[in-house]
Amino acid sequence: ATRERLREREAAAERARREAAEAAKSAEARAASAEKKLEKLANAKKAALEAESRTVRAESRISALEMELASMRERVERAEEERDEAKAESKAMAVWRIEEDENA
């Protein structure tokens, strides 16, 4: 009877060791899976930060280009005004010459 109880205890201890080993294996697998997920999240966060940085740089470049475009428009407007003034002066000069010729 004592040997029988000893065998039962040994068998129970062996089952407990196997269960503990399986539980440890399962925990290691879950830990590895969690680690992979964390790595994927870290990579996704890094990619998001890089994309945000590119967006900020692009917005800055767009702003600079918009200011450059506004400056170009102002220069074109001034050039057109100067051209119109020159045309008006030319026309006035031609009218003056015609009047001078008629008076002469």
Side-chain angles (χ1 to χ4, degrees), residues 70-94:
S71 174
M72 287 176 171
R73 284 185 175 142
E74 286 177 21
R75 286 196 301 271
V76 166
E77 198 173 302
R78 279 197 301 270
E80 287 173 344
E81 288 171 1
E82 289 173 6
R83 178 201 62 207
D84 293 345
E85 287 173 10
K87 279 184 181 178
E89 287 176 13
S90 249
K91 196 173 189 180
M93 194 62 120

Side-chain angles (χ1 to χ4, degrees), residues 10-81:
E10 287 175 354
E14 185 58 34
R15 279 194 304 275
R17 275 194 291 275
R18 276 196 301 268
E19 288 172 4
E22 287 175 18
K25 202 174 185 181
S26 176
E28 285 178 17
R30 286 194 306 274
S33 174
E35 204 171 301
K36 285 182 183 177
K37 286 180 183 174
L38 279 174
E39 191 177 327
K40 285 182 182 177
L41 283 173
N43 288 339
K45 183 178 179 181
K46 183 179 175 185
L49 289 172
E50 288 171 359
E52 186 178 0
S53 176
R54 284 193 301 273
T55 300
V56 168
R57 285 195 304 271
E59 288 172 346
S60 174
R61 181 74 179 127
I62 288 169
S63 178
L65 289 170
E66 286 173 341
M67 288 192 298
E68 192 176 326
L69 180 60
S71 174
M72 287 176 171
R73 284 185 175 142
E74 286 177 21
R75 286 196 301 271
V76 166
E77 198 173 302
R78 279 197 301 270
E80 287 173 344
E81 288 171 1

